[in-house]
Amino acid sequence: MLFKQIECFLAVARLGNVSRAAEEMFLTQPTLTARIKALEEELGAQLFARTSRGMRLTEAGKEFLPHAERVMKSVEEGRRKIEELNGLTGGRLVIGSSPGVSTYALPALLERFSGAYPKVSISVRTGHSEDVLQMVLDDEVQLGLAREMQHAEVESIPLYEDELVLVVYPEHAFTEKGTATLGEVSREQIVMFDTASSYYGLTRDLLRKAGVTRFRTLELDNIEAAKRMVEHRLGVAFLPRTAVVRAVEAGRLCIIELEDAPRTRRPIVALRRKDLPSPPPVEAFLEIASQMGQKKSRAELSPALAAEFENLQLMDLFT
């Protein structure tokens, strides 16, 4: 069965007209008709019925249509892979990302990536870390960005470390000293976010280890909403440092050090299948992420790059 025959079948099915399909494919009408006839002979079934309103699919044609579409999709994917191999003059970068990474770290990384490779199309799917891992395993995404996770079929590449920090509004009593104990925190209303998030579990574990089992909560489904609640004096919250950098610098939130608890850090990694070769866009993205994490302080950066890091709010993220 020839690929060209399937192309002609799909064109006629979509347009419902042999003449228009032939024109679109730069073929003569007899040539297109011959290809359709050859395909019907190969399948042993009539695919089209000629009606007063044009060419209509028969029942056999309707059954064959989704299979023909899958063939075309597979071929297009193959073409895309070849484009990727030809020096990033096209291709696609498909990323799965946890919500915190996609909101606070990924935009800056993609800004640099898109500037370097403007012809690469980018697609981002969001889910919790467990969902991102499954996307990688199912080959639904080329790369996953999530908290550190272990799986025999997946390679984990360190990107940066995030930290769970206690934040309050500027006028809160904790800001005078700049520190607090978990016992003091437990007497406040604690703003929690996304019960399915690992950060939710981290917060509860932190309090439980300090013997705190009863506390008032205000629960929301996302980090941004939690930040706004704290800004409006509705409680205190444990939030990822990457999520509060801008709000702290703007004076809308304050970070409070805990006197009786160790710092809670979380490695953020890139996940990819071990058994599949990484296409050039993935390698290029990882190289950019690596470059942005190599320098440890503004003093080590050139003035231009230091300004760029400050604009992108990356210094707290990568140091």
Side-chain angles (χ1 to χ4, degrees), residues 106-256:
L106 189 56
L109 291 169
L110 289 182
E111 181 177 358
R112 176 73 71 85
F113 179 85
S114 294
Y117 306 104
K119 294 184 179 180
V120 176
S121 297
I122 301 169
S123 177
V124 179
R125 293 184 56 187
T126 302
H128 292 109
S129 293
E130 293 80 5
D131 301 323
V132 172
L133 174 61
Q134 195 60 50
M135 291 180 204
V136 173
L137 291 170
D138 293 340
D139 199 23
E140 296 176 2
V141 299
Q142 299 163 324
L143 195 68
L145 307 180
R147 64 179 169 84
E148 188 173 34
M149 305 182 75
Q150 301 297 324
H151 193 283
E153 298 175 27
V154 171
E155 178 185 9
S156 180
I157 304 164
L159 291 181
Y160 64 92
E161 278 194 343
D162 206 350
E163 181 183 0
L164 197 65
V165 295
L166 175 65
V167 293
V168 302
Y169 51 89
E171 298 80 12
H172 194 281
F174 290 168
T175 60
E176 183 177 352
K177 187 169 61 167
T179 63
T181 65
L182 286 171
E184 290 172 329
V185 172
S186 69
R187 293 192 285 272
E188 303 287 325
Q189 177 156 274
I190 301 178
V191 181
M192 310 280 281
F193 68 93
D194 192 355
T195 58
S197 165
S198 60
Y199 287 111
Y200 185 91
L202 277 177
T203 300
R204 287 195 168 273
D205 287 344
L206 185 65
L207 293 165
R208 191 178 298 115
K209 287 177 181 178
V212 177
T213 57
R214 297 176 62 85
F215 50 91
R216 291 178 299 132
T217 62
L218 170 59
E219 296 191 353
L220 301 133
D221 62 1
N222 65 85
I223 297 175
E224 282 300 305
K227 284 165 58 178
R228 294 292 291 166
M229 296 301 171
V230 176
E231 290 175 12
H232 283 267
R233 308 183 181 192
L234 291 170
V236 303
F238 290 93
L239 299 175
R241 183 180 289 272
T242 50
V244 301
V245 170
R246 292 180 183 273
V248 170
E249 290 191 353
R252 298 193 305 273
L253 292 175
C254 295
I255 294 177
I256 303 299

Side-chain angles (χ1 to χ4, degrees), residues 32-102:
L32 186 142
T33 301
R35 289 183 181 178
I36 295 293
K37 183 174 177 59
L39 180 61
E40 290 177 328
E41 290 175 354
E42 178 72 25
L43 294 173
Q46 183 178 347
L47 300 175
F48 293 101
R50 188 181 295 276
T51 71
S52 58
R53 295 187 177 183
M55 302 291 282
R56 293 291 182 268
L57 288 169
T58 62
E59 286 303 312
K62 291 176 182 178
E63 287 292 331
F64 183 64
L65 180 62
H67 300 282
E69 289 173 336
R70 280 198 291 272
V71 169
M72 290 299 297
K73 183 179 179 180
S74 180
V75 171
E76 287 302 317
E77 181 64 21
R79 285 177 176 164
R80 194 176 299 122
K81 295 293 185 183
I82 292 172
E83 286 178 353
E84 291 170 358
L85 294 175
N86 291 331
L88 291 173
T89 57
R92 190 172 185 83
L93 175 64
V94 185
I95 295 173
S97 176
S98 61
V101 176
S102 66

